[in-house]
Amino acid sequence: MKDPHHPHPSEMTLIRVLGAISDPIRLGLVRVLADDRERAWGELRAPVAKSTLSHHLKVLRDAGITRTRQEGTRCYVRLRRADLDTRFPGLLTALLHVADADRVGGEVGVAD
């Protein structure tokens, strides 16, 4: 992966953000990343193929929800909470609360 594009907060749109998290796997990834820790892609567990997981992470990055960093051959991902909260105040908190209550994306986790 060569220097992935991360949209500036002013480029983030509500439609794109909501579209990106409309998938239960992607919302589950956001729930996992909501602890504000950077995670290696290999730590993330979801009931999908690695290529599908990679696609989901790309959709989240392209929408501005996550930031990806490459270090050698490893990729790391982090939730862009501050940017989301600045651009869409209260949205992330509300979405995470409802997703947690409804257990949406609960099948996504991290390696032990």
Side-chain angles (χ1 to χ4, degrees):
M1 172 188 317
K2 290 193 176 209
D3 297 327
H5 173 72
H6 297 97
H8 186 272
S10 65
E11 298 173 314
M12 298 161 98
T13 67
L14 183 61
I15 297 300
R16 193 130 189 218
V17 168
L18 292 177
I21 59 170
S22 66
D23 181 278
I25 297 294
R26 291 193 292 263
L27 187 52
L29 289 166
V30 171
R31 287 180 64 192
V32 166
L33 297 170
D35 67 0
D36 293 323
R37 292 184 53 201
E38 182 178 66
R39 301 280 184 178
W41 284 17
E43 289 180 65
L44 301 170
R45 298 290 181 254
V48 296
K50 286 183 182 181
S51 60
T52 304
L53 179 60
S54 179
H55 168 75
H56 285 310
L57 290 167
K58 181 183 184 310
V59 170
L60 292 172
R61 183 185 70 234
D62 289 348
I65 297 169
T66 60
R67 178 169 302 282
T68 301
R69 174 179 69 84
Q70 186 166 0
E71 186 175 294
T73 59
R74 299 191 73 182
C75 289
Y76 298 87
V77 64
R78 174 184 292 274
L79 186 64
R80 292 176 62 183
R81 182 185 294 273
D83 290 338
L84 288 164
D85 287 343
T86 297
R87 181 75 174 98
F88 310 106
L91 177 66
L92 184 61
T93 300
L95 290 171
L96 290 171
H97 177 75
V98 173
D100 187 48
D102 291 354
R103 302 193 47 78
V104 177
E107 66 276 16
V108 178
V110 293
D112 293 330

